[in-house]
Amino acid sequence: MFSMKSLVRSTGIFIAMLMLLMTMGVEAQADENVLVVAKGTEAEGFDPHTVPAHSSIQIYNRVYDALLGISPEGDIQPELAKDWEIIDDTTYRFELREGVKFHNGREMTSADVKYSFERMVDPDLGSLAKTYFEMVEKVETPDDYTVIFHLEEPFADFLINVAHTYAKIVPQEVVEEEGDLMDVAVGTGAFKLTEWVPDNYTLLEANEDYYIEGLPRVDALRFLIMEDESAQIAAVRTGQVHITDLSPEGAQILRGRPGLEVVEYPSFDYTYWAFNVTEEPFDDPLVRKAMSYAIDREVIADIAFDGFADITGPVPPSQELWAVDISEYPSYQHNPDRARELLAEAGYGDGLEISITASPAYAYMVDTAVVIQEQLRGIGVDAEIDMVEWGAYIDAWINRDHMSMVGLNGGGLTPERALYFFFHTTGGANVWGFSDPEFDDLVERGRVEVDPDARYEIYAEAQKLLVNELAPNLFLNSPYSFYVIAEGVEGFEPTSYKSEGFFKHVTIDN
Amino acid sequence: MAIKEYLIKRILALIPLGLGVTFLVFAAMNFVPGDPVRIFLGIEGTEELAQQIRQDLGLDRPFFVRYFSWLGQLLQGDLGYSLLTGIPVSQEIARRFMVTMQLALGGVLFSVVLALPLGIASAVRQNRSSDFVIRIFALIGVSLPNFAVAVLLILFFSLVFNWHPPIGFVHLWHEPLIALQILILPVIALGTSMAGSVSRMTRSAMLEVLRQDYIRTARSKGLPGRLVIYRHALKNALIPVLTLVGLQLGYLLGGAVIIEQIFSLPGLGRLLLTGIHNRDYPVVMGCVLTIAVFFALVNMVVDILYTFIDPRIKYQ
């Protein structure tokens, strides 16, 4: 009894049982026409008018439609409105599709459009879309299928905002029955929210009454929550998941694997090194400009993103229509001598001690801060990295409780967001204490200029002014985004403008 | 009945425990930097909007007002609502508790089934080769942190067998086979270190007992070896082992926080962690309270089990 032999034997039996269990047939949903997508973060609720989290947008974007949509090339296209007309600078007329039904079976009409836009600007709701439509004076509904918007003043991005993710059309009776739209979702979209089991999965079934014949082409979408990237990679390799997004490192691992396709596209996001411009030493534009000459954006891209990132100004190059070429920015040259001169001119010739706040929540943030620290050493600037937890990081960001910080901004479809939202004196995300009357004047003109060419000129001037003279932030890299797609899945084609592709066009060939 | 009184005393003792734990956690959640509304909004939304949401959620009220209103709700059996999703916390905890239980009890089962025979074998064959092998494995088990075991298991199975546990949790009583496949690696990862300590504890307790006179008496009156070990020795060696198992179950709940994260299991630990990241204090409070009460109850059950194992133990 209890001999070495019996020990070895029972270990053997245990391992054999384990392997038997592994091989016992659980086929990964292979026989169903269900698209399985890995999702890194759980949704925070599904109200399109109040929840900004990307994890929530991933779901409610499938369930709700807006009046207009954005094509993969960035053009405005019909969604619930089949046609639209700009009557004058402040009057827009939309003609709705007829016979579109909400998932509860009721027909969607102009009354729902009016209700949804009124809900978005209702001060009691606290909607993020409020600032997008504050200029709307009134919404008229002459008949069931016509909606007319009257604006108080011209607003160049009005149609873009109407196509925004937040600007979904919701049914009034559901809001009234449920109180809010956090854990229900009744839209007109290609998919219906069928089941939500937090931290486990979200199931969306095809909407059989969808207003475009023949879509969607799968029976259901199943989002599985997997936070760990190694779990996501293992799941896609073993065929349990059809699509997942990836980090650059993950993409490198999976590139060229048989049965998998890695796709990439430039994103609208960019990383920055931002300064608290209300305190020494970064209240001096000379010091900020010196920093720009001291760092090498190419090296940061290589280390933080494995080279999969473009060098960017305030408007990322992926926004081809609006971005100024980086050759227009002299301080993008890596030139430590010039940096030292500028520092000396600013009175810091004997060296300088600074701190950079970053959060380990994102690897690229840490990498960016570390590379900057290293490069500053070359010009006699001693940088200390202040690593803080994500909640504390947001606190430091919002309360300007830092000397400088690295971070990521998400871009919009036009420079309105990149320039006004982040840098206008009253911009919603101008947390740097930055204020410049000349710049303010430019972006105020830009937001009401409806002629695209004239608008481009204004925004180009604003970009150059921001980078070459004022430098409230140093704009660094605009990273690529990556997806891996299993063989047999067709029609999922993400672009910068449509980063999640079109789930309704996807087919699975098992 | 003495045991009844004892039980009532123990249960009453839970009240100060609960108060202390909830107050400490509430204070910690309140005083660490980070604002739930800002974490929710990210860079979107103005300060006015943030202020309005804070007001709606009652976050603008002073610390003690919020704590006592939370406590007041608790007395009515209401754990409140998640700040983020608005889902009732009790509903969320009920759903996740069963997941964590399957994981933790699986871990206990795995470690006891594995470690008890090994510990006995090790004691009976003291200083022989199998004793050394078992002791080395037990030492490795105790020393390896569970997250390391978890990652090693995932890597090993996916690289060598191209196998990964099915994703998307199902309960053991719905689809036993899939649930077993989902749970097997997390259970091993969670149970390994407990197996190590249980096997070490069993070995030393058994060695102690085996030296006792009554064992020699049992052997000398000709009882078969197996009977001596299981009937006479093991039963008496079980008390320290049982204490250890009870305590370890509490640590397993702590370990589950990390294991659930690595294996994407929708359990209590994952809820707690997300709650902390988002400063979603009703969720954090609910989770901590559940875990604390559960831990206390398990230890109470262990204390009662003593009386069955050793009738000499009585509670007055």
Side-chain angles (χ1 to χ4, degrees), chain A residues 43-101:
Chain A
E44 298 172 356
F46 304 118
D47 193 330
H49 296 162
T50 60
V51 186
H54 176 69
S55 55
S56 295
I57 295 175
Q58 275 183 309
I59 306 294
Y60 68 62
N61 237 359
R62 318 271 91 80
V63 178
Y64 292 99
D65 292 312
L67 286 181
L68 302 174
I70 300 292
S71 77
E73 294 76 35
D75 301 317
I76 289 172
Q77 61 179 25
E79 218 164 271
L80 290 174
K82 63 179 176 192
D83 208 356
W84 64 95
E85 191 188 344
I86 306 173
I87 296 171
D88 58 50
D89 276 0
T90 56
T91 319
Y92 293 74
R93 207 176 81 101
F94 295 86
E95 201 182 320
L96 304 185
R97 283 175 206 269
E98 296 179 20
V100 175
K101 289 204 172 94

Side-chain angles (χ1 to χ4, degrees), chain A residues 290 293-294 335-346 348-349 378-380:
Chain A
Y293 281 107
N335 188 343
D337 293 332
R338 178 88 186 104
R340 262 183 242 111
E341 277 169 34
L342 285 169
L343 271 188
E345 201 180 319
Y348 296 103
I379 59 158

